[in-house]
Each structure stands twice: as C-alpha cells, then as structure tokens.
Amino acid sequence: MSLITRRHFIKSTALAGIAAPLVITSRTHAATTKEFRLGLITPAGHSWNRAAVAFGESLKKETDGRLSVTVFHSGQLGNESAMMQQLQSGALDMGWIQAAELGSRVSSVAAINAPYLVRSTASVAKLVRTPTALKLLDALPRETGTIGLGWGITGMRVVLATRDINSPDDLKGMKLRINPTPVYRDFYSMLGAAPTPIPTPAVFDAMTNGQVDGLEADIELSWNQRYDKIAKSLLPMNALFMPFAPLVSGRIWAGLDAKDKELIRAQVNQALVAQINDIVTTEAGLIDKLKQSSVHFKSMSGYDPQPVIRKFDEMWVAKAPAIPELRRIGAAV
C-alpha cells in the first residue's frame, strides 16, 4: 500500500470513528420520544384535570412534541387503588393521586390530612409548598414505587347536612359520607358521627333517599355537584383539606435521563402553582354562590377544637410524626 493510500485509509477510518457516535446519539434521542399516560379520578372540568392538561400541553411545547401526555380523567383507568397498582408495575406512567390514598398506604404521609393544621384555603396554599410538607413525599419511592413531584390542593372541606347543624357537636349520631381515608374516619368518629364511605357519583341519591344524613367535601366539588339542592345546612369545618400528589411510576422514572426529569419536575411545578392559585382565587366566588342558594350557610364562631386536636394527636402522632411540625408551620402561615 502506498504512503498516500495508507494516509487516506487512516484518515477515512478516523472520520468514520467520529461519525459513528453521532448516529448513536441520534437514535438515542429518537428513543426518548414518549407519550405519557396520566390517570386521575376527577372529571374533565375539575381544577386537577385542567392542571393535568396544562402540564401536558406545556411539556409537549417545551420538547417540540418529543414528550407528550394523554390525560385519562374521571377514573377511566380505575379507582386510585387500581391506578397505584398500575404505577407500581409501570403499566401507568403518571397519576395525580389524593393524599387519602397515599396516607392509607403510608401512614407518615397521612400527616398532611390531619385536622386543624390550618384554618383557611389561603393557608393551605402556603403549607403544601413548605419543605416539611414536601418531605412527606420522600417515603413514596421506597414504600410505593412511585415518585412524588409536589402537592396540589382543594379548599378547606365543609359538611353539608339534610338537617340543621351549627357546630361539629351537632354531627353526633349523623350518618356522614366521608372520604374513606383512616384520618378522616378517626376524626369524624371522634366527633360522634357514623362515617359512611359512598362513591361520589352515588352521594346525591344517598342524601336524597336518607341513606346518609350528609357529607363532607370541598367547596369546588360541593358547588359542581350542586349538593346545596339536597342539603339544609352547610357548616365550614375549618379543619380538613385534601391535597393530591402528581406521581410518576418509579419504573418509568428510572428510564428517563436527568434533563427530562428536571423538565418534567419544572412543568409539573408550574401546573401546580397555577392550580393552587386558581383554587384560592375562585373559592370566594363559589362561597358567594352557595350563600345565595337555598342552603343555610353556618358559622363556626365559638367552637373550641382543642379537645379533639389533643385526642386525635394521641392516636396519630406516633404513626405520622410530622403532625406537630405541620401544626407549628400552619399556625405561622
């Protein structure tokens, strides 16, 4: 082989060695194209669902369509327990899951559902963004195989009753439809109610036919379902709220590169900030609508919650150690 031919061979081989990684990089990029399946139980018009859709649109825009999201609302993929199983197996990519479901599985997470952490929705918005509240999600990868990306919220929950009630003392003996999370069950049992879990779609008929005497829910759901049409009294409890956590399957998360993880976190956070602000700003208008309806909007003035707080904490602090710290933060926000 001549010197010129040998040099040409060496140069060509070197160029081929440089080009090869570029082809691999291109294939790797193509392989990261992903359509995430996201499940949640709320209906299409709910603020959680709107936030999930906004997250998907933003993620698609930021990646020029490389990453996208299909939202399955209204429990199309099953209830939250079923979706958690799908997240654990990797059959579902993402789920926006209530703290009730998470706290039922991991008792330490249930601290966020403890009663009287805060007294207003504006304070809820601040509490869920604190490091202490966010740290509760750290247990999820180990305990559930999922990654928690933050908290979204509902407003403070109220009780709507088919009879006249003026304070939590009047809940004694009531068959009360509740979210079946253990924290809510124990709290309302301490107040003397008979907690009765009923699926949300069946609540209206259950109250109409006397199967239950009332329900506890947030303002947004109460207005959207028009429970005021079958209730006589509405009592703001100023005690409970129900956050949700956007989750990613740990199996799916492990397959994402660092930049995509950072991008997903950022877009989820952006959607949560908007969702939380939306709840805080729109709740006052919904309260005005309820006050103008036929339901009697009551006041909690004069009620002392300290005895039930002490009783609750005696039962729950050992299982959910963050409760005292959340109470301290909640009193300051």
Side-chain angles (χ1 to χ4, degrees):
M1 184 181 290
S2 69
L3 180 60
I4 294 176
T5 303
R6 187 181 298 112
R7 286 175 178 172
H8 178 74
F9 174 78
I10 294 171
K11 183 177 181 181
S12 298
T13 303
L15 288 174
I18 294 171
L22 295 178
V23 174
I24 293 173
T25 300
S26 177
R27 289 175 180 170
T28 302
H29 179 79
T32 61
T33 299
K34 173 72 175 174
E35 180 180 356
F36 296 105
R37 299 169 72 248
L38 188 159
L40 70 171
I41 62 169
T42 50
H46 193 277
S47 66
W48 296 4
N49 188 78
R50 295 197 304 271
V53 171
F55 157 64
E57 292 173 346
S58 179
L59 185 65
K60 185 175 183 179
K61 181 180 179 181
E62 288 294 321
T63 61
D64 294 324
R66 183 172 61 85
L67 300 179
S68 59
V69 178
T70 299
V71 176
F72 295 88
H73 58 79
S74 306
Q76 294 176 65
L77 302 180
N79 60 23
E80 289 188 322
S81 179
M83 284 192 283
M84 284 297 294
Q85 293 177 359
Q86 295 168 44
L87 286 166
Q88 289 170 327
S89 70
L92 179 61
D93 303 304
M94 299 179 176
W96 289 25
I97 306 295
Q98 292 181 97
E101 176 67 25
L102 301 178
S104 296
R105 293 168 178 267
V106 186
S107 59
S108 62
V109 178
I112 199 70
N113 283 134
Y116 299 109
L117 297 180
V118 291
R119 303 295 196 274
S120 71
T121 298
S123 294
V124 170
K126 296 176 182 178
L127 180 68
V128 297
R129 292 167 172 161
T130 63
T132 300
L134 294 171
K135 188 173 177 57
L136 296 175
L137 301 171
D138 290 352
L140 295 182
R142 179 182 67 255
E143 299 292 339
T144 70
T146 64
I147 311 299
L149 301 182
W151 291 114
I153 67 168
T154 58
M156 298 295 286
R157 298 174 82 83
V158 301
V159 169
L160 291 108
T162 56
R163 67 191 194 197
D164 192 47
I165 57 173
N166 295 286
S167 85
D169 293 332
D170 296 328
L171 302 185
K172 291 177 182 177
M174 279 184 58
K175 292 178 294 181
L176 187 67
R177 185 272 178 182
I178 68 162
N179 183 297
T181 186
V183 165
Y184 282 22
R185 179 200 63 212
D186 290 345
F187 173 65
Y188 283 109
S189 294
M190 289 174 185
L191 294 175
T196 309
I198 295 175
T200 299
V203 172
F204 198 98
D205 288 342
M207 285 183 66
T208 301
N209 63 31
Q211 184 180 351
V212 293
D213 303 311
L215 81 152
E216 60 85 34
D218 60 272
I219 289 291
E220 181 183 17
L221 180 66
S222 300
W223 176 255
N224 289 343
Q225 298 296 317
R226 294 310 307 266
Y227 293 134
D228 58 289
K229 292 183 176 296
I230 51 172
K232 183 176 181 179
S233 304
L234 185 155
L235 180 67
M237 294 291 290
N238 300 331
L240 300 168
F241 65 94
M242 180 59 71
F244 71 93
L247 304 183
V248 182
S249 166
R251 293 176 180 267
I252 302 303
W253 192 251
L256 299 174
D257 65 35
K259 289 185 178 180
D260 282 347
K261 290 178 181 178
E262 182 181 354
L263 179 62
I264 289 168
R265 283 188 181 277
Q267 299 309 310
V268 167
N269 181 67
Q270 178 177 292
L272 291 179
V273 169
Q275 188 271 333
I276 290 170
N277 291 341
D278 179 50
I279 290 292
V280 173
T281 56
T282 61
E283 186 179 74
L286 296 179
I287 289 174
D288 286 341
K289 289 180 179 180
L290 285 167
K291 286 182 175 180
Q292 293 168 18
S293 73
S294 59
V295 70
H296 297 156
F297 208 100
K298 299 304 179 88
S299 169
M300 283 283 292
S301 60
Y303 178 75
D304 179 13
Q306 290 305 315
V308 73
I309 289 174
R310 287 191 292 270
K311 188 175 181 180
F312 180 89
D313 285 2
E314 287 174 3
M315 179 182 292
W316 268 94
V317 167
K319 294 181 285 187
I323 290 175
E325 178 65 8
L326 289 171
R327 289 203 191 286
R328 186 190 66 78
I329 295 170
V333 297

